[in-house]
Amino acid sequence: MIQQIVKDVLKPKVIEIDHGLYTTEVLEKLGKAGAFRHHIASQNNGTVDVFGSIQDMATVSRECMTTGFMMWAQDVCTWYIENSENDWLKQEILPKMVDGDCFGATALSNPMKYFAGIEELKLSAEEVEDGYIINGTLPWVSNLLEKSDKHYFGSIFHVHDSEGNTKDVMALIPCDLDGLTMKQMVEFAGMEGSGTYSLLFDNAFLPKKYLLADPIKPYLEKIKAGFILLQTGMAVGVIQGSIDEMRKADMTLHEINEYLDDRPDELEEELEEAIELIQALAEEPFTPGVDYMKQVLEARLLGAEFCKRSADAVMQHCGAKGYIVDAPAQRKQREAYFVIIVTPSIKHLRKEIARLEA
Amino acid sequence: MSEPFRKYLCKTCGLIYDEAEGDPDSGLAPGTRFEDIPDDWYCPLCLVSKSDFVLMSDAPRPKSDVVKPKSKVGGKESIVIIGAGYAGWNVAEQIKQHLPDADVSIVTGCDGAVYPKPAISMAMSQGRDAQDLIEFAAEEKALELGIGIKTRAKVMSINTDRKRLMTTSGSINYSKLILATGASAIKPMLSGDAVSDVMTINDLAAYKRFRGAIEGKKHISLLGGGLIAVEMAEDLISQNYQVTLLVRGDTLMRNLLPSQLSHKLAAALENNQIEILYEAQLEAIDHQDDGYRLSLDDGSQLTTDLLVAAIGLKPNVDLAKKAKLDVSRGILVNHQLQTSDADIYAIGDCIEIDGELQAFLEPIRREAETIAKHIAGDASAEFKVMPPLVKTKTPSLSIITCPPLKKDAHGDWSIVSNDESSSEVSYLVEEQVKGFALSGDKVNQAAKLYKALSA
């Protein structure tokens, strides 16, 4: 089913998407086919199957990782709602998001860096009786559409109350919120069709019914492993897609490609082992404790390091024909580098792992 | 029945012409057979002509006879070492001496820099910072030894059936594996709001953090009364820090020294302005002003600018345990340093042999040599567990000690000579010398006594 959508709907659009076409058409179809359902127990007969969602994301990312990235955004946004205690969101928004009738995103890059001591939190809000008045700027949130009443993203902000206390809370924010301006400030080297915007909050009032978590700490601990593990779907897909391109290149170049370090068969064997590792970790995404979290971070680090190798390998295997504009190889390379630098990046992961080990 | 559609491959650019799909942009309808394509048609991607296309077949590709000059680490014929501490580098060097053609690689989660670890506890008085201690960068040393190195790759698991490691940078094959995973500093169990600020030091990275942390500080507290705590105290006092030692029992270095020598050492340290609190059970560390408040179980408190815990090491056995190797306190090895998997050796601070854990440098050299000889085919190679010979880096009082092995630890220390300037104490089990401790001028007897002991 997912495979069919990739072949019929996604494949003809891949280059356009790479050039900046943002479409929800594919996401809608993937939603209908159940791609966002596996890890959401309330919509999946009570079963949490994080690996199921990873697999579908990988199937799509193998052809187009920009779309895989949007699936991840959608998957984590549903994950946020599912693991909150907000029944209104669970009834009104979650089923639609799981079905691909509305769209989810995540603005947790800055908060994750904030919690790791890398950046300051960029949004702050004043708490009023029935909501929050939010100010600040968030760079680069993806899978969004300007003024859309179907697009939402999860976000974290500092809150000051009238007595001068501060805390951090997390909420879902609709794209059509008054006081929220969305701008596409830069052109990226890849992932251009991912609906990525800078968000400017100017006294934007968010009703409390959108609250996801307060207090935030136990909630973040609960969602963290799932959040990170789901990203490996992008890594697995783009690596498999790179191996596919390397095999195609080998049809004419295998004799000379034998001189290369990372051959497709070797990478595939390693990829299978990595998938086994991810699958085992994804079985119990709510496992408490430092040891499990360290393994999750290490698996994610493997995903990124592996992307680095496959990005290099696919370019070298394909040679000049991979260097042509719109050649799959160079697109895979750009996509793979996204896995390397998206939060948590390799440097961020190394810092986190070192902190857990210290 | 028509023939199934076939695919043709452009030899120049790799474009695939699929008969089923045709090339509508050039006016070739889906289903156009390759032989029906006009000769003036060109590859839509690279513009070469039809004659540059070849039929794609599912037949196996011809085998290449290329012997691959790979730049990879590990392999099915490789000896792979996990860990780049003293033990890891030493065993790599020994193997290259005994087997110059062996394919050897080190895989490590750290940066692999080569540095003399004992120097950590005397670097300050030698005027060296953490960076000064580095003798070689990992790549430099690897090149010199002719081995492969992979740094910043953490080994997550060992698949002993397939003889493969899974690391954070991908999988690595081995034929023989050597675990040199070392030991970790034990963290004290404390309460309070500053627990995460307690420092431990057992590698260069931690030492670097420590040196950064003490800058501008006045008073440093050391938890522990063992070798490392005492050496660190001496090194700190040499730089005019105020130092307090929080000792759990009633003597210093009780596992290494007879009480007579402990007392002498304590007197020398105190004479040198180091404060020693005995029977000190630390319970909590909390922030106070710019420093910390330490609370002991007797209700007393003291303020300090930094707390360093040096209460011992525990072997890093997690990886071995996960691989289902036999593990007790350390990774269990035989006298050839083999673990319960004969293709996996272990060396250094991570091992347990004859019930002994020995976190000292001296045995590592002999362990490394044993492993190298054994891998080279010398079945008689055997590592003999000896009591360690330890020279403490304590300028207040020079000491060399050779504490008994655990199996011999049912005897008693017995004074041979003891005066103000020097001491000699023997450890006797049924009249037999199983260890000794020397201070002052007597330390120059150490080599002779050790030789007699090991004979």
Side-chain angles (χ1 to χ4, degrees):
Chain A
M1 190 68 174
I2 304 295
Q3 199 69 61
Q4 204 63 38
I5 296 168
V6 170
K7 188 166 176 281
D8 298 344
V9 189
L10 178 57
K11 203 170 176 180
K13 286 190 165 48
V14 168
I15 288 176
E16 269 183 288
I17 291 173
D18 188 47
H19 289 187
L21 169 72
Y22 176 72
T23 172
T24 55
E25 184 193 348
V26 185
L27 294 176
E28 284 166 37
K29 292 208 159 59
L30 290 167
K32 298 285 173 294
F36 312 128
R37 187 172 303 280
H38 310 283
H39 63 302
I40 304 298
S42 69
Q43 310 290 318
N44 193 41
N45 301 318
T47 305
V48 185
D49 177 12
V50 173
F51 188 65
S53 295
I54 291 172
Q55 278 178 306
D56 283 352
M57 196 190 305
T59 303
V60 173
S61 299
R62 185 172 181 170
E63 188 63 45
C64 171
M65 208 195 80
T66 301
T67 306
F69 172 46
M70 294 189 285
M71 290 176 74
W72 173 74
Q74 185 95 357
D75 277 336
V76 289
C77 196
T78 56
W79 185 243
Y80 298 158
I81 301 174
E82 171 80 357
N83 288 297
S84 76
E85 284 167 16
N86 186 326
D87 289 331
W88 180 75
L89 289 177
K90 286 184 191 177
Q91 276 151 30
E92 296 302 315
I93 312 278
L94 182 61
K96 291 182 197 158
M97 213 176 265
V98 164
D99 278 343
D101 290 328
C102 62
F103 307 96
T106 170
L108 252 52
S109 175
N110 163 248
M112 281 185 72
K113 285 186 239 174
Y114 159 67
F115 290 117
I118 300 171
E119 276 183 7
E120 286 300 302
L121 200 55
K122 293 181 191 290
L123 289 188
S124 65
E126 187 190 328
E127 185 166 7
V128 290
E129 199 191 331
D130 48 356
Y132 307 94
I133 298 167
I134 308 172
N135 279 288
T137 305
L138 271 185
W140 311 337
V141 182
S142 301
N143 200 25
L144 299 183
L145 190 63
E146 253 181 301
K147 299 290 171 206
S148 164
D149 60 358
K150 287 183 175 169
H151 284 70
Y152 304 84
F153 57 94
S155 191
I156 290 174
F157 42 87
H158 278 313
V159 174
H160 313 268
D161 67 12
S162 50
E163 279 132 43
N165 303 313
T166 62
K167 60 181 174 181
D168 300 324
V169 305
M170 180 158 168
L172 193 70
I173 299 177
C175 273
D176 60 353
L177 192 71
D178 280 341
L180 169 62
T181 313
M182 296 171 47
K183 284 192 174 159
Q184 286 190 314
M185 310 287 284
V186 292
E187 191 179 336
F188 289 101
M191 318 294 289
E192 264 292 87
S194 58
T196 300
Y197 293 84
S198 289
L199 307 177
L200 287 72
F201 291 81
D202 181 10
N203 287 318
F205 174 73
L206 182 75
K208 276 196 175 162
K209 66 177 181 182
Y210 286 107
L211 187 70
L212 284 167
D214 175 19
I216 195 169
K217 214 172 164 237
Y219 174 77
L220 288 180
E221 277 168 14
K222 189 175 171 194
I223 62 171
K224 189 174 179 182
F227 176 98
I228 292 168
L229 284 171
L230 281 164
Q231 289 184 330
T232 61
M234 290 187 267
V236 168
V238 75
I239 293 163
Q240 189 63 64
S242 300
I243 294 170
D244 295 342
E245 291 306 316
M246 289 156 70
R247 291 231 162 90
K248 281 186 207 161
D250 267 4
M251 287 168 183
T252 49
L253 301 170
H254 72 93
E255 277 175 32
I256 187 72
N257 280 348
E258 292 291 343
Y259 283 90
L260 292 171
D261 280 341
D262 283 313
R263 299 285 290 136
D265 288 351
E266 294 170 313
L267 286 180
E268 191 154 70
E269 192 183 353
E270 284 189 46
L271 183 61
E272 277 162 21
E273 285 173 357
I275 291 169
E276 280 170 28
L277 172 82
I278 292 162
Q279 182 169 15
L281 288 171
E283 265 168 32
E284 301 287 346
F286 303 118
T287 307
V290 170
D291 190 48
Y292 173 70
M293 186 50 64
K294 207 177 84 161
Q295 292 181 53
V296 168
L297 294 170
E298 284 173 353
R300 172 67 178 81
L301 179 58
L302 170 62
E305 296 272 13
F306 207 154
C307 276
K308 216 165 72 180
R309 286 166 58 203
S310 74
D312 176 57
V314 71
M315 287 306 295
Q316 292 206 65
H317 275 73
C318 295
K321 70 174 184 281
Y323 202 62
I324 295 167
V325 172
D326 293 336
Q330 58 86 19
R331 180 163 50 80
K332 300 290 172 203
Q333 187 203 30
R334 287 182 284 114
E335 291 172 344
Y337 261 88
F338 183 78
V339 180
I340 295 163
I341 60 174
V342 72
T343 304
S345 58
I346 286 179
K347 55 195 171 184
H348 182 163
L349 287 162
R350 286 181 180 172
K351 180 175 180 178
E352 282 270 297
I353 293 168
R355 190 177 60 84
L356 292 183
E357 284 178 345
Chain B
M1 268 299 269
S2 62
E3 288 259 317
F5 288 120
R6 286 170 302 189
K7 290 178 181 173
Y8 289 79
L9 178 78
C10 173
K11 285 190 290 186
T12 305
C13 74
L15 176 118
I16 294 166
Y17 177 79
D18 184 344
E19 290 179 339
E21 288 176 19
D23 178 19
D25 290 342
S26 317
L28 301 179
T32 305
R33 294 291 185 181
F34 188 76
E35 52 265 37
D36 299 327
I37 297 175
D39 284 332
D40 61 355
W41 178 80
Y42 52 78
C43 169
L45 197 53
C46 70
L47 305 184
V48 298
S49 67
K50 188 180 159 184
S51 59
D52 285 288
F53 279 71
V54 291
L55 176 64
M56 284 169 66
S57 76
D58 297 325
R61 301 191 302 262
K63 274 269 179 235
S64 162
D65 56 2
V66 177
V67 178
K68 293 186 253 183
K70 294 244 179 187
S71 55
K72 277 177 105 167
V73 157
K76 293 204 161 66
E77 308 298 324
S78 271
I79 300 164
V80 175
I81 299 158
I82 302 176
Y86 184 79
W89 283 111
N90 222 268
V91 74
E93 194 160 0
Q94 286 287 339
I95 293 169
K96 288 305 272 188
Q97 270 174 26
H98 287 85
L99 280 171
D101 295 331
D103 177 354
V104 180
S105 299
I106 290 180
V107 183
T108 176
C110 68
D111 64 8
V114 182
Y115 66 96
K117 191 165 162 199
I120 279 183
S121 56
M122 56 176 180
M124 278 184 277
S125 45
Q126 293 182 337
R128 297 201 280 176
D129 65 19
Q131 204 60 31
D132 296 334
L133 295 179
I134 297 176
E135 291 172 343
F136 299 99
E139 290 70 20
E140 219 180 328
K141 185 71 183 177
L143 199 64
E144 183 200 310
L145 295 180
I147 66 168
I149 178 94
K150 193 156 194 85
T151 58
R152 299 201 177 283
K154 288 178 48 60
V155 178
M156 294 187 281
S157 61
I158 304 165
N159 185 328
T160 51
D161 294 334
R162 294 160 78 178
K163 297 179 120 183
R164 271 161 88 83
L165 309 177
M166 178 172 277
T167 81
T168 49
S169 317
S171 304
I172 292 171
N173 290 311
Y174 67 83
S175 73
K176 303 278 182 204
L177 182 67
I178 300 163
L179 303 175
T181 51
S184 297
I186 296 170
K187 296 252 176 197
M189 299 288 280
L190 300 175
S191 56
D193 65 18
V195 172
S196 59
D197 290 8
V198 178
M199 304 198 94
T200 54
I201 304 166
N202 190 37
D203 58 35
L204 196 61
Y207 185 64
K208 209 170 176 177
R209 287 195 292 276
F210 164 76
R211 290 292 292 267
I214 58 172
E215 225 160 273
K217 300 287 163 59
K218 287 200 179 74
H219 183 265
I220 315 294
S221 297
L222 291 157
L223 183 62
L227 179 67
I228 301 300
V230 169
E231 292 182 350
M232 293 299 300
E234 288 257 38
D235 208 33
L236 283 162
I237 209 87
S238 77
Q239 303 303 299
N240 300 316
Y241 286 94
Q242 298 163 17
V243 182
T244 301
L245 273 174
L246 300 162
V247 183
R248 200 169 232 234
D250 58 358
T251 54
L252 298 175
M253 296 194 211
R254 59 179 162 177
N255 297 328
L256 298 180
L257 296 181
S259 58
Q260 295 85 349
L261 267 186
S262 290
H263 295 321
K264 265 196 172 179
L265 176 64
L269 294 180
E270 278 166 335
N271 192 39
N272 209 353
Q273 306 307 316
I274 293 171
E275 183 186 23
I276 307 174
L277 304 178
Y278 293 101
E279 309 288 356
Q281 299 278 352
L282 184 62
E283 293 199 322
I285 175 167
D286 291 276
H287 289 283
Q288 180 175 302
D289 303 323
D290 286 340
Y292 305 99
R293 182 179 65 247
L294 307 180
S295 307
L296 279 67
D297 72 333
D298 60 2
S300 63
Q301 296 191 327
L302 71 138
T303 57
T304 187
D305 294 326
L306 187 74
L307 177 67
V308 178
I311 54 174
L313 298 175
K314 61 169 192 299
N316 292 325
V317 299
D318 288 357
L319 201 56
K321 221 183 228 173
K322 244 166 103 175
K324 305 247 181 341
L325 301 178
D326 289 347
V327 167
S328 175
R329 287 178 303 155
I331 301 166
L332 295 175
V333 293
N334 62 18
H335 290 98
Q336 285 68 48
L337 284 311
Q338 287 166 302
T339 66
S340 52
D341 179 323
D343 289 323
I344 304 179
Y345 297 79
I347 181 170
D349 295 0
C350 63
I351 67 167
E352 178 174 341
I353 178 164
D354 291 353
E356 301 279 343
L357 299 174
Q358 292 186 327
F360 299 104
L361 284 197
E362 186 279 329
I364 292 177
R365 302 177 85 73
R366 292 186 294 116
E367 287 163 14
E369 198 185 352
T370 306
I371 293 175
K373 283 182 173 167
H374 196 252
I375 289 178
D378 177 357
S380 67
E382 189 176 77
F383 173 74
K384 192 175 162 211
V385 182
M386 299 279 293
L389 188 65
V390 182
K391 177 166 178 9
T392 66
K393 295 182 285 297
T394 44
S396 298
L397 178 68
S398 53
I399 293 175
I400 293 184
T401 180
C402 173
L405 291 171
K406 240 177 108 190
K407 69 175 167 69
D408 295 325
H410 50 278
D412 290 295
W413 290 102
S414 157
I415 295 173
V416 178
S417 72
N418 192 18
D419 59 42
E420 255 180 53
S421 63
S422 66
S423 310
E424 178 179 344
V425 189
S426 296
Y427 192 87
L428 299 179
V429 180
E430 290 161 6
E431 308 291 302
Q432 274 206 307
V433 178
K434 294 292 182 183
F436 57 85
L438 310 167
S439 74
D441 302 338
K442 291 283 184 187
V443 298
N444 54 26
Q445 306 289 310
K448 192 183 78 190
L449 290 173
Y450 194 63
K451 216 173 161 188
L453 185 94
S454 39

